Amino acid sequence: MAYLLWNGELPTKEQLAEFAARERAGRALDPVVKQVIDALPVTSHPMDVCRTAASVMGARHPLAEDSSREANMAKAVDLFAAMPAVVAYDQRRRHGQELVEPRDDLGYSANFLWMAFGEEQVPEVVEAFNVSMILYAEHSFNASTFTARVITSTLSDLHSAVTGAIGALKGPLHGGANEAVMHTFDEIGIRQEESLEEAAARAKAWMEDALAKKKKVMGFGHRVYKHGDSRVPTMKAALDKMIAHYGRPELLGLYNGLETAMDEAKAIKPNLDYPAGPTYHLMGFDTPTFTPLFVASRITGWTAHIMEQLDSNSLIRPLSEYNGVEERHLP
Ligand code: ACO
């Protein structure tokens, strides 16, 4: 997927092997980036850690001042290869655990999970994680990609654009929603002993109350998809497999209850973050790590846009319409 986004075509077997070898060679966490992460409090939001790491990687990149396509491609692969180590290590240090070194005998997703948990995961789990990474990789002119385009349009560098994009993605109206979905589940209360039907009934009641209070419920609605997010069925199928794998029907109950109540009341459909949140929870990720997982994948889409912007750049500088006082006089 990353190769397709950056090159416009799927790779041949040889190109894929070369590309995978390049990605595998760039997985280790730069010791200086690790030192910077270690200097941050363990209470720092993982998105702040990710944003800081992207910025440090930019300042330390040997091609920092070179924005040619070749240099940007190298920077994009470097960021894509190294960000999983940042996300995985940050989660581990918050639990007082040591860094787990990457393995080059594992694929991207299997290695990501290995570095996060220090254990190899079964193929079903790796596959569900891989599905989420593919679905998160690229999504046209969303807020963070637009941010990256705006920064690039000033002829700033690729890492600055990615750093800004991470800041935009953090907000709960955008990528932060996958994390917020889990807060909703927590607020309703996850009761493992509960049946699917009991959980669904409680979730439905919670949603009805939230909507009566005019609350925005994260994980629902989309600026572009007004009749449902086309990525949701694929991610929901992955979530279903994880619910079966981990034996957690009550989570499906919460999922169904909220979805049904929202549909009945407002006909607003879930977005990708809705099934992604509980999938990551089941895999054992901490809730604040969810949006950094999105970052690790979206680096591909952002950097593809950055290179495309530079190919035929023009400064993005919108006009605004002034509607304030017409004339002011000095007192
Ligand atoms: N919960 C409750 N009501 C909602 C929701 C929601 N999640 N989303 C939209 N609505 C309601 C609004 O309150 C509004 O109702 P009104 O007409 O009675 O005032 C109506 O639907 C239209 O909503 P807007 O906010 O105008 O729609 P917009 O296109 O601006 O918003 C957005 C899209 C920001 C994504 C919105 O749906 C939202 O805030 N959702 C929750 C955050 C979220 O899940 N973001 C993830 C986006 S996808 C992604 O990043 C992978």
Side-chain angles (χ1 to χ4, degrees), residues 136 139 169 172-178 181 211 214-224 226 229 231 262 266 268 271-273 294 298:
Y136 271 138
H139 204 223
L169 190 73
L173 294 190
H174 191 10
N178 62 8
V181 169
L211 293 179
K214 305 242 172 279
K215 279 193 193 161
K216 269 244 162 122
V217 184
M218 301 301 149
F220 288 89
H222 198 275
R223 175 57 63 81
V224 179
K226 295 301 176 195
D229 181 332
R231 301 166 295 180
M262 179 63 108
K266 299 192 77 143
I268 297 174
N271 57 54
L272 174 58
D273 287 331
F294 188 161
R298 186 57 64 86

Side-chain angles (χ1 to χ4, degrees), residues 152-198:
T152 304
S153 84
T154 70
L155 299 183
S156 183
D157 66 288
L158 179 140
H159 284 86
S160 296
V162 168
T163 304
I166 295 173
L169 190 73
K170 183 182 176 189
L173 294 190
H174 191 10
N178 62 8
E179 186 182 322
V181 169
M182 220 50 232
H183 294 312
T184 300
F185 276 38
D186 286 337
E187 196 182 317
I188 300 167
I190 299 173
R191 299 179 190 161
Q192 286 200 41
E193 69 286 359
E194 210 169 40
S195 71
L196 189 151
E197 292 74 21
E198 286 165 336

Side-chain angles (χ1 to χ4, degrees), residues 103-150:
R103 277 176 48 184
D104 62 7
D105 60 326
L106 297 175
Y108 173 87
S109 290
N111 174 63
F112 202 146
L113 294 166
W114 161 256
M115 288 193 295
F117 302 112
E119 280 171 18
E120 261 190 75
Q121 304 296 311
V122 297
E124 297 94 298
V125 173
V126 174
E127 180 52 25
F129 187 73
N130 208 32
V131 165
S132 78
M133 290 290 107
I134 291 172
L135 291 172
Y136 271 138
E138 158 57 14
H139 204 223
S140 73
F141 266 61
N142 53 83
S144 56
T145 302
F146 186 62
T147 303
R149 285 258 187 181
V150 171

